[in-house]
Amino acid sequence: MSPYTHLTLKDRECILLGVTLHHTYQVIADQIGCSKATVSREIKRTGGRGTYSAVKAQQNYQQRRLKSRRLRVLENLKLR
């Protein structure tokens, strides 16, 4: 089993709070229990320090998760 976990909405809200308070990536990462690279990528992926939004980041994450799944073979067939 993998030791890695996905960021939750609560984690993203902590990132938003840290960005608002001008904390370093390391301080934010220590608060949510992940690496500073994860925090850096999350902020960069969602527009940077000036425009980071926890809600938008969560929506983007959910869309990426849905797109990453394989389509089922019989999902698009019309059965008569």
Side-chain angles (χ1 to χ4, degrees), residues 13-71:
E13 288 172 346
C14 288
I15 292 172
L16 177 61
L17 182 62
V19 167
T20 304
L21 297 175
H22 303 289
H23 290 163
T24 63
Y25 291 155
Q26 186 63 55
V27 171
I28 297 169
D30 290 342
Q31 289 175 346
I32 62 175
C34 67
S35 72
K36 70 179 181 179
T38 301
V39 173
S40 172
R41 282 192 304 269
E42 175 70 13
I43 293 170
K44 183 178 177 182
R45 188 183 298 129
T46 314
R49 279 187 169 266
T51 60
Y52 183 80
S53 167
V55 173
K56 182 174 176 157
Q58 185 69 20
Q59 290 171 346
N60 291 344
Y61 162 73
Q62 289 171 341
Q63 288 174 353
R64 283 191 311 274
R65 289 287 289 170
L66 287 175
K67 287 181 182 180
S68 70
R69 295 187 181 148
R70 272 179 60 182
L71 293 177

